[in-house]
Amino acid sequence: MTEHVLLRKVRDAFHTRFQSEPALIVRAPGRVNLIGEHTDYNDGFVLPVAVDRAAWLAVGPSGDNWSKVRAVDMKNDDQTFPTDRVPSSSGGWADYPKGVVWALLEHGLNPVAINAVLTSDVPVGAGMSSSAAIEVAFAFAWTQLSDFDMKLSEMALLCQEAENQYVGVNCGIMDQMISACGKAGHAMMLDTRSLERAYFSMPKGIAIVVANSMVRRSLSGSEYNVRRAQCEQAVSVLQQHLPDVKALRDVTPAQLERYKGQLEDVVYRRARHVVTEDVRVLQVCRDLYEGNMEHVGKLLLEGHKSLRDDYEVSIPELDTLVEAAAEVDGCYGARLTGAGFGGCIIAVVAEDAVPSVEAHLTEVYIAKHGKEPTVYVTRADNGVARMA
Ligand code: GLA
């Protein structure tokens, strides 16, 4: 097998920067989510796939008290920070490794100082978890170099803490967990309450097509937090009638209907998205297991409508792409993937229909929105690993 081009790229860049050989090279993937959107901060279910696009990190001990990290994709931006105390935030990409240092120190672990070079082909701002990939790559490198005894799931939680508390983005656990624990050829069902995982193999002959609207996610930060607050509001009202409810995960669609009148309309619709989405995730798992792609596709389209109408996180560009994909013979279904407000859609497509889906998406999108989407086929890949 030929060496991955990004592996060679980070290794060469490490030589240039540090005139030495890296101790290891780590790869941590981005992700798309098949279904289970905005459920992970409601203790619900998600079904993401680690993709063939990833952050690559060449790394070795620095030999002094300072970590020196270079981002090849940021015009070789160099950042230096301590690892024996909390590094101060600089607001840029280096906040991801710095956040990981912060989280390790919080857990009483002392990471060694490193030399590192980073590159990534996960598109930034496209809702494919480019930031989780960077966090997980650094956390994995530190775990290896500092000999920490840490499970991959613990590492993912630590990265989520870094993102929530150091970087200041209030995300759930899905992205870090799939980057850490993904499995080639499989989608990973994660129960975000117990963190139990089950892997479902992607049926043969099926491709996951990703189309990037090229609308960078905007508003997502503040609107994401508004959605979270609305879910919490739904829980606090429902708890008055259903004392055992701790999160929307504990509410069935029938229960929600029963207490609909107690909720503000917008709060009811947000909750309806979440409780029906949890049901869809479990059903998609069963359908994947049975190879019923028609039904998977139907649920993906229903999931998109629910995100569009009830959760209101879609935008016209994403709706265009989903509708266009669904028009093509051999496309089972499509939906926006990730937080919404821009970024990508995924379409689940019979392999031989991929060229017509790509062509149709491009044609319709240019005609309607005057710009070209990036369309490519991705596959379910492994989670974080040492590659050299
Ligand atoms: C972002 C967050 C995830 C998840 C999705 C929506 O990607 O990082 O934790 O909440 O949005 O499903």
Side-chain angles (χ1 to χ4, degrees), residues 31 33 36-41 171-175 224 338-339:
R31 62 106 186 90
N33 188 14
E37 220 64 85
H38 293 279
T39 48
D40 66 347
Y41 49 86
C171 63
I173 187 61
M174 168 167 69
D175 306 343
Y224 187 87

